[in-house]
Amino acid sequence: MSSLLVDDIGELVTNDVGGEGGPLGIRRDVALLVDDGRVAWIGPSRDAPAADRRLDAQGAAVLPGFVDSHAHLVFAGDRAAEFAARMAGQPYTGGGIRTTVGATRAASDDELRATVRRLHGEALRQGTTTMEIKSGYGLTVADEARSLRIAAEVSEETTFLGAHVVPAEYADRPDDYVSLVCGPMLAAAAPHARWIDVFCERGAFDVDHARAILACGQAVGLGVRVHANQLGPGPGVQLGVELGAASVDHCTHLTDADVDALASSRYDCMCADSLHTTTVATLLPGAEFSTRSPYPDARRLLDAGVTVALATDCNPGSSYTSSMPFCVALAVREMRMTPAEAVWAATAGGARALRRNDIGQLGVGARADLIVLDAPSHLHLAYRPGVPLIRQVLRNGVPQ
Ligand SMILES: [Zn+2]
């Protein structure tokens, strides 16, 4: 593999924890050498080593690619009419998931694959270089397995969400559905998944069912994530911390005890790396935007010392956006995160939420997943909302 010098970088966001330059590890007026898909060197252009190719950043800002740690891309149909009804005043209840389940079961593999690839490509053009993808609109053994098989064609971060909602045919016997999820469905899904997730919410899965399902997933080696405290207060966040979840997602309705649990979360992962020892709170402001709901209190989490990530929650019902720059802008404007906090949460925070330290940062040795902005600074992501600011995307050092 050839080497590439990204030259004339005006502002380089490294997120390098050991480095200088504030929480984003900002370096100015530097070049960055990519060798064999990794960051091999950073320094002044005049000292740059020879490289096979050169990419001129023309004084622009360069950031780690966004890490979108929460997305539901495997589905069929859309719910534009439901969105319109909601904007006309109807509340969001989560019940529309069953509409998408019906359409997804009826779709062919190729239809599902086309949607996954379209949305994954759309996200990539907006700077997302890692995207977690969940199942959860199949809800049969065969449909969950094929959803994950198709997701795994484009991402290594795949999540089994058979416990998204109890499907209509099990409405009167949720215990039987939990047995199905923990038994044959998990067995069929696990070979294609890295994670297991549960929608722990009133109207979806209660805490006992959620704990049972997540424990079954852990027993076969899957990491834990939880949809928690989105529609109201509940036990999901503390269950996630109890089980050593990598991330609890939504966190819109939190008690002091929830915040304390997250702030003191530690998980013995039998590894020395402290990056891997916290349950991240992943905030999904696209969902509050699209359901016209109050945003989570990001400041309360950050001020308590909780690790915060931002993700899109891309799905056809409650957040049909694949845009991490949009989520950064929402986090700054609506959730009072600083631009630096929001950019960190959308890159390094997402990496933490996936227990990865090779992405979400651009220190020497990191994967060369990076974006060149059409702007001189990361501030512009929030300062110029809705504008296509992603000029160039590199994944594994390869221009996309
Ligand atoms: Zn979700």
Side-chain angles (χ1 to χ4, degrees), residues 2 25 34 42 78 89 96 117-118 124 132 155 165 188 198 201-202 259 290 312 343 345 383 396:
S2 63
V34 176
I42 298 168
D78 77 31
R117 289 181 184 243
R118 175 174 63 82
L124 181 65
E132 182 258 18
S155 177
V165 69
V198 172
E201 196 84 42
R202 197 187 303 269
V259 176
S290 301
T312 62
V343 165
Y383 173 47
N396 265 325

Side-chain angles (χ1 to χ4, degrees), residues 70 72 134 227 250 313:
H70 186 135
H72 308 250
K134 301 176 195 297
H227 279 69
H250 284 290
D313 195 18

Side-chain angles (χ1 to χ4, degrees), residues 359-375:
I359 56 174
Q361 53 103 358
L362 291 173
V364 169
R367 235 169 79 150
D369 289 356
L370 59 87
I371 54 184
V372 182
L373 296 188
D374 242 332

